[in-house]
Amino acid sequence: MQSVQKIDYRSLFPFSFVFKDRKSPQRELPDHVHDYYELVFVYSGKGTFFIDDVFYDMNQGDVFILPNNTIHRAMPDGTDPVTSSVIFFSPTLLYDMTIDETFSYMSLFDHVKKQRNYQLSLDSKLWPIFEGYLLSIQQEVTQPQKGSKHATLLAVHQILLQLCRVSQQQQEPTEPYHHGPSWIKEILSYIEAHLAQELSLTDLAQEALVSPAHFSRVFKQTTGMGLTVYLNTKRMVKAKELLMQTDMTIAHIAEQTGYDSLTHFHRIFKKFVGTTPADFRKQSKLYPQLR
């Protein structure tokens, strides 16, 4: 697997690209969440994509649109692994001059987050157009010339514009599907609604009417991540939102995200985010794109 460099928002070019990478289950990245934005284009293969509590089939021609701070985990098929290209970027790179109030390059991400549907399926006529854009980016990245970064960004803007149009034209969005036993979907909704409360394995297993051992095993098999990691990641996403969007004290935010100990909250936050809650709040003011 090609390595993905962590994007530094202080860089003049916060951008990364992975071209036609074949992802087997053994080589797929673990569950993750990050501050940059991501576009995933599926060339071939099959798999399951778990995004923000929802499961999607991965098939040829699918595009997955991932806003920042969105939990996601791709689970490629063992016999027919997914081959995909992935664009990672900061929105600071996008052209944002207001010319048309009905359109912005970030509107696509706002739309999918609002609808909670992160998948578009391109028909056979459109796919070659996007393949051309992706190949152009690959050439500019691997064989840089004068203005290669500008050429790369032009292709990214074209991709976002075309995806916005596809999204608007698709009258019936792709329906997510249910994966695993019926209680998984119900327990994911339960967790989302009760993040501020203590959520133990025993309590959640009782809610799902299964044994703790069965719950733990099936939850990880289905979502691709362990319960503790999942809960902490969900809570960190919520904590980051509250730090950026409210004036709540850090102690109050810790309570709102299910941590009864401020010390424990600080430790988990630094482990997952890489900085303290106070420093993150300061950085979000210096770098608004973290929002």
Side-chain angles (χ1 to χ4, degrees):
M1 175 182 291
Q2 300 177 44
S3 62
V4 179
Q5 300 298 320
K6 185 175 180 180
I7 292 178
D8 182 357
Y9 280 100
R10 293 165 293 186
S11 165
L12 293 177
F13 194 64
F15 177 87
S16 185
F17 183 59
V18 177
F19 185 65
K20 286 192 175 181
D21 186 35
R22 191 166 185 261
K23 295 180 173 65
S24 67
Q26 294 77 19
R27 300 176 66 192
E28 176 55 46
L29 291 172
D31 48 279
H32 56 294
V33 59
H34 41 66
D35 292 321
Y36 43 89
Y37 292 73
E38 182 175 347
L39 296 169
V40 180
F41 298 83
V42 180
Y43 289 84
S44 61
K46 296 180 180 180
T48 300
F49 215 153
F50 179 61
I51 309 173
D52 193 24
D53 305 344
V54 182
F55 297 93
Y56 300 89
D57 274 328
M58 299 179 76
N59 292 297
Q60 183 179 16
D62 285 342
V63 182
F64 294 94
I65 301 149
L66 302 172
N68 64 338
N69 294 318
T70 302
I71 295 177
H72 54 287
R73 168 71 184 263
M75 293 170 277
D77 184 86
T79 58
D80 189 12
V82 165
T83 295
S84 64
S85 288
V86 188
I87 299 173
F88 307 88
F89 68 96
S90 161
T92 54
L93 293 174
L94 299 183
Y95 182 69
D96 63 355
M97 182 177 290
T98 302
I99 296 176
D100 179 357
E101 294 182 355
T102 64
F103 172 78
S104 76
Y105 287 102
M106 289 302 296
S107 62
L108 176 68
F109 293 92
D110 296 334
H111 176 73
V112 299
K113 195 165 189 176
K114 182 178 180 180
Q115 298 296 319
R116 294 198 70 205
N117 193 317
Y118 301 90
Q119 181 184 35
L120 288 176
S121 295
L122 303 177
D123 62 37
S124 57
K125 294 181 180 179
L126 285 174
W127 183 251
I129 297 173
F130 286 90
E131 277 193 301
Y133 293 141
L134 296 169
L135 180 59
S136 173
I137 293 174
Q138 174 67 0
Q139 291 172 341
E140 297 295 343
V141 169
T142 58
Q143 303 172 26
Q145 305 178 54
K146 186 176 180 65
S148 278
K149 291 181 179 178
H150 291 276
T152 296
L153 292 183
L154 285 173
V156 171
H157 282 78
Q158 287 278 18
I159 286 171
L160 291 173
L161 174 58
Q162 293 296 336
L163 288 176
C164 281
R165 291 175 174 176
V166 172
S167 177
Q168 185 179 37
Q169 291 167 3
Q170 284 192 356
Q171 298 299 324
E172 297 183 2
T174 305
E175 286 293 330
Y177 77 100
H178 177 63
H179 184 62
S182 59
W183 59 262
I184 285 288
K185 182 178 180 181
E186 295 170 0
I187 211 68
L188 290 172
S189 298
Y190 182 87
I191 290 172
E192 180 69 26
H194 296 84
L195 274 180
Q197 301 175 15
E198 181 180 353
L199 296 171
S200 69
L201 171 59
T202 301
D203 292 338
L204 290 174
Q206 185 175 3
E207 181 71 23
L209 301 178
V210 298
S211 71
H214 182 73
F215 181 102
S216 182
R217 181 176 64 256
V218 175
F219 188 91
K220 187 168 186 178
Q221 287 175 346
T222 308
T223 66
M225 60 190 81
L227 175 62
T228 300
V229 172
Y230 180 77
L231 288 174
N232 281 326
T233 304
K234 289 287 289 186
R235 285 168 167 159
M236 289 303 101
V237 170
K238 182 65 175 178
K240 289 164 73 175
E241 290 176 354
L242 294 175
L243 285 165
M244 291 186 292
Q245 299 171 8
T246 75
D247 293 324
M248 287 184 186
T249 65
I250 292 174
H252 191 193
I253 290 173
E255 293 177 1
Q256 290 296 306
T257 51
Y259 295 96
D260 56 6
S261 164
L262 186 58
T263 301
H264 185 210
F265 173 71
H266 271 266
R267 181 172 62 81
I268 297 297
F269 192 94
K270 190 166 186 179
K271 177 182 177 181
F272 276 74
V273 183
T275 186
T276 65
D279 285 344
F280 178 83
R281 177 170 266 171
K282 292 177 183 177
Q283 290 172 12
S284 70
K285 294 178 181 179
L286 292 173
Y287 305 102
Q289 64 272 20
L290 292 176
R291 297 176 182 270

